[in-house]
Amino acid sequence: MSIIAREVDLESAGAPEWRVTDGPVAYPYAVKEMESRAAQIHVGSAPELVWLLEHPPLYTAGTSADTADLLDAARFPVHQTGRGGEFTYHGPGQRVGYVMLDLKRRRQDVRVYVHALEEWLIRTLDKLGVKGERRAGRVGIWVRRTDLNQPLREDKIAAIGVRVRRWVTFHGVSLNVEPDLDHFTGIVPCGISEHGVTSLVDLGIPVTMIDTDIALREAFSEVFGPNGEMALR
């Protein structure tokens, strides 16, 4: 596997390390790296980390996954994972954000943490010209397809799946920038069949991955930074 990790300078002492990896990252490697870093964060030997990357095409099954929702098991590799949630797709053109934070130093409340991840995605989308919304009973971030003159249609643009071990978080979020949306048809994404999946480019937003990363960084600072209204401190 050929990957290049770019570590971004921290804005202030104690801020999480911010890492961007260029090139597809194998899923088992990413999980191993997350688990190792989470253990280091727990004992205080490494700072918190936000890791942005892409995966090769694959499906992952969360702890609530229903095997009936895997519609095409032969299409891509399927990985069982310890994160919450059901089946989801990862692949090129999708920005995955793995977030390793120490909730003991912030706020030991998983619900508040998930709400903050949602807010991070909503603010990121807002910076890119898209209105993302929460929906009760539906995990992830949704958009109304007014661009198709279908105001009752809602598509999912971002997913959330987390795991917490000894109050250190890992796994995180995925935001569809320009993935092949047909790849989602091999599963019932997050167990929800009555709604679709979209991306920034599908919505007519011609952004690059770098544009997305900049928006993610700015929004993360607003939500989780030292003065963020959802800093969990």
Side-chain angles (χ1 to χ4, degrees):
M1 177 179 58
S2 176
I3 59 176
I4 300 173
R6 294 182 275 119
E7 296 183 7
V8 181
D9 291 338
L10 304 183
E11 293 180 351
S12 61
E17 177 188 343
W18 197 268
R19 182 184 301 169
V20 183
T21 298
D22 298 320
V25 179
Y27 190 77
Y29 172 83
V31 172
K32 183 178 178 180
E33 286 291 295
M34 281 191 289
E35 291 182 340
S36 174
R37 184 57 169 259
Q40 293 171 29
I41 293 169
H42 172 67
V43 300
S45 62
E48 297 174 317
L49 173 66
V50 181
W51 185 16
L52 302 184
L53 53 85
E54 294 174 84
H55 286 303
L58 57 91
Y59 298 129
T60 65
T63 54
S64 301
D66 184 341
T67 55
D69 289 338
L70 180 59
L71 306 179
D72 188 355
R75 190 169 190 176
F76 298 124
V78 180
H79 297 272
Q80 301 294 324
T81 181
R83 62 158 176 80
E86 304 185 46
F87 280 102
T88 194
Y89 165 78
H90 292 312
Q94 180 190 73
R95 180 51 92 205
V96 174
Y98 289 138
V99 184
M100 286 145 272
L101 300 181
D102 186 355
L103 297 187
K104 297 191 303 299
R105 295 200 303 110
R106 294 172 175 267
R107 183 172 174 181
Q108 292 177 238
D109 190 321
V110 176
R111 288 181 181 271
V112 169
Y113 171 63
V114 172
H115 191 271
L117 290 179
E118 293 172 340
E119 186 67 17
W120 178 31
L121 290 166
I122 288 170
R123 294 194 187 197
T124 298
L125 289 167
D126 183 67
K127 293 177 186 299
L128 297 170
V130 174
K131 181 176 176 56
E133 300 177 321
R134 298 177 177 89
R135 286 292 178 266
R138 285 192 249 147
V139 179
I141 303 301
W142 301 79
V143 295
R144 303 186 189 197
R145 295 308 301 266
T146 56
D147 60 306
L148 300 177
N149 295 318
Q150 298 179 23
L152 299 181
R153 173 176 166 179
E154 296 180 342
D155 288 349
K156 190 171 187 175
I157 195 168
I160 298 172
V162 304
R163 187 172 184 181
V164 179
R165 179 184 294 164
R166 295 178 294 190
W167 290 109
V168 178
T169 70
F170 54 115
H171 295 278
V173 305
S174 59
L175 175 59
N176 296 334
V177 181
E178 192 178 7
D180 185 338
L181 295 179
D182 181 66
H183 290 175
F184 285 90
T185 62
I187 57 172
V188 178
C190 299
I192 300 172
S193 58
E194 62 270 30
H195 298 284
V197 179
T198 190
S199 68
L200 289 166
V201 171
D202 182 53
L203 292 171
I205 309 297
V207 299
T208 66
M209 198 64 77
I210 292 175
D211 296 328
T212 304
D213 291 348
I214 291 170
L216 282 165
R217 182 68 186 272
E218 292 176 352
F220 186 90
S221 179
E222 294 172 3
V223 176
F224 291 96
N227 298 314
E229 61 196 58
M230 293 185 185
L232 309 182
R233 296 190 187 280

